[in-house]
Amino acid sequence: MVVTANSSTVQHILKSHFHIYQKGDFLRTTLFDFLGDGIFNADGDNWKFQRQVSSHEFNTKSLRKFLENVVDTEISERLIPILSSAAANQTVLNFQDILERFAFDNICKIAFGYDPAYLLSSLPEAKFAVAFEDATRISSQRFNSPVPLVWKIKRALNIGSERKLREAVGEVREFAKEIIKEKKQELKENHPLTRLSRFLSSGHSDENFVTDIVISFILAGRDSTSAALTWFFWLVFGNPEVEKKILEEIKEKSESPVNDEVKDMIYIHASLCETMRLYPPVPTDTKEAAEDDVLPDGTVVRKGMRVIYHPYAMGRVEEAGPRICLGKEMAFLQMKRVVAGVLRRFRVVPAMEEGVEPVFMACLTSKMKGGLPVRIVERLQDSVQRGHTPN
Ligand code: HEM
């Protein structure tokens, strides 16, 4: 395999020679039990079809409006009350866990029209969410097998982690299918309320395929924004001058009559980009060569070799690399609303010993190892206690 941080090579594999660098058999076999033919695990015409239908959906005004409503409701009815009671009771929260729950509720509501109610103050063990977490973790652990034969034998014998994976995937798919059935019914009764119903109404009725599509979307929307936000709050705490500028921007924008978070809030946008440069939610991305090739730097690639670009390393060299993500606008909208919603009212203070640096953990998506323990402090109360005017 080739691992690269060279931007000409990344341009080559993602753009000019895209047709050669596919997801390929290795990735497809490893993730197939979980992702099936969903967009993250598809090549060729199947990928193109999903990409076209979805990118059309992602660009509609109605999705944007729906997304704003979903995110705002989740912030005001769930996130803020939890932070506010943590502030009042001076409890320590695992902020990464809170943000994962937040993102999971949002993406399920958007993809499915289903509310798993995972972000509640009781921090419930929602069955679907736990099964999804297990399926993601065990599927990505397959990549750590010395050779694929090891997990394949365990799967054939239905033992250990493979048995757990089969159960988790079974639960996720069962659950997804139930919801898809409900939505189909909804469609029959002529109320195409959700993204999924719309997708079904464009003529795709094979339940297995629709389940695959939905699972990839949940995976995409679940851990990515929460990982970015966890690191963001950690970095903001260590950079008070940045926090001050962010607060100025929030104040300025909330006073302006026209408020478009995706285009406005330039400083918050840049702070989120800088967070993701240092701690990319997708730390590596693997392609497989469908034919022999030579990379721009002369490296010879044989058919079947894996070529991996490494955003974590790229964020530490001086040239910038391209990003291709369907959910980019959706992700920024969610993240900016969380940043503004949280920081305008609270300070997020890591509850760790001084000098302790969190550890970056790279899986399919990245995480902060062990989560981020924080205390939540109401700004007004905080400034009164510290004897300043509210900042
Ligand atoms: C901070 C948040 C996010 C980051 C860093 C991120 C990163 C990425 C990356 C690196 C890829 C390329 C993967 C590849 O080459 O196979 C990608 C693809 C994709 N992302 Fe995101 N993503 C984020 C949020 C989201 C959200 C919220 C969604 C919404 C569901 C989403 C949906 C997708 C989809 C559907 C693709 C597949 C595109 C394709 O294969 O053509 N992403 N994302």
Side-chain angles (χ1 to χ4, degrees), residues 69-364:
N69 286 340
V70 165
V71 173
D72 285 352
T73 310
E74 187 75 13
I75 291 180
S76 61
E77 291 179 8
R78 294 196 177 144
L79 184 62
I80 299 293
I82 287 176
L83 299 189
S84 164
S85 94
N89 301 325
Q90 302 191 359
T91 40
V92 172
L93 291 178
N94 177 351
F95 212 37
Q96 180 161 262
D97 180 46
I98 298 290
L99 292 165
E100 282 173 3
R101 287 167 183 271
F102 173 86
F104 192 72
D105 282 351
N106 281 332
I107 194 66
C108 286
K109 287 191 212 166
I110 290 157
F112 267 166
Y114 162 74
D115 177 10
Y118 197 31
L119 180 61
L120 300 182
S121 55
S122 58
L123 304 179
E125 290 265 303
K127 213 171 155 212
F128 179 54
V130 173
F132 204 95
E133 168 69 33
D134 286 346
T136 311
R137 194 190 62 254
I138 305 171
S139 295
S140 57
Q141 278 166 1
R142 281 184 174 173
F143 290 106
N144 303 337
S145 276
V147 281
L149 195 63
V150 175
W151 67 256
K152 285 184 182 169
I153 291 174
K154 279 167 75 182
R155 180 176 65 178
L157 299 173
N158 196 23
I159 53 170
S161 56
E162 285 297 320
R163 183 189 176 134
K164 191 142 201 270
L165 179 63
R166 181 169 300 179
E167 287 163 6
V169 168
E171 269 181 44
V172 169
R173 298 195 73 87
E174 235 355 86
F175 188 85
K177 272 197 196 140
E178 272 310 304
I179 294 177
I180 288 164
K181 270 202 200 109
E182 265 174 43
K183 297 297 152 188
K184 270 192 176 164
Q185 193 56 35
E186 216 175 82
L187 201 66
K188 272 200 197 119
E189 288 156 15
N190 225 357
H191 304 295
L193 296 174
T194 64
R195 303 300 95 210
L196 186 66
S197 309
R198 274 165 186 273
F199 199 81
L200 292 167
S201 66
S202 57
H204 311 287
S205 52
D206 173 19
E207 268 166 31
N208 259 324
F209 185 40
V210 178
T211 306
D212 290 350
I213 291 173
V214 168
I215 289 177
S216 272
F217 274 84
I218 296 183
L219 182 65
R222 195 187 73 127
D223 283 351
S224 50
T225 48
S226 54
L229 282 169
T230 304
W231 288 101
F232 170 87
F233 283 106
W234 161 256
L235 287 173
V236 162
F237 174 76
N239 293 276
E241 73 293 352
V242 172
E243 184 166 9
K244 192 161 165 266
K245 286 194 188 139
I246 288 175
L247 286 171
E248 280 164 15
E249 188 169 78
I250 295 172
K251 188 162 178 284
E252 187 190 314
K253 298 297 170 199
S254 60
E255 280 162 5
S256 104
V258 190
N259 197 358
D260 182 344
E261 284 87 349
V262 179
K263 297 208 184 71
D264 293 348
M265 299 203 168
I266 297 160
Y267 192 82
I268 296 180
H269 193 103
S271 316
L272 286 164
C273 289
E274 181 64 354
T275 302
M276 290 192 281
R277 176 179 76 78
L278 291 168
Y279 302 106
V282 181
T284 58
D285 190 9
T286 302
K287 310 288 170 195
E288 187 177 306
E291 48 188 84
D292 293 351
D293 191 28
V294 180
L295 296 175
D297 65 357
T299 306
V300 173
V301 173
R302 298 268 169 242
K303 181 178 173 187
M305 267 168 73
R306 266 173 282 154
V307 180
I308 302 169
Y309 71 91
H310 203 295
Y312 186 89
M314 289 171 74
R316 285 157 175 77
V317 293
E318 287 186 7
E319 302 142 280
R323 305 269 185 273
I324 304 175
C325 168
L326 263 173
K328 188 171 164 185
E329 291 235 335
M330 181 190 278
F332 271 112
L333 187 145
Q334 270 193 69
M335 294 192 292
K336 286 177 177 177
R337 289 200 170 200
V338 170
V339 170
V342 172
L343 287 184
R344 75 156 52 96
R345 185 160 157 197
F346 304 104
R347 284 176 67 229
V348 177
V349 183
M352 292 141 112
E353 270 177 49
E354 238 180 273
V356 173
E357 270 285 320
V359 175
F360 182 82
M361 221 170 60
C363 320
L364 265 189

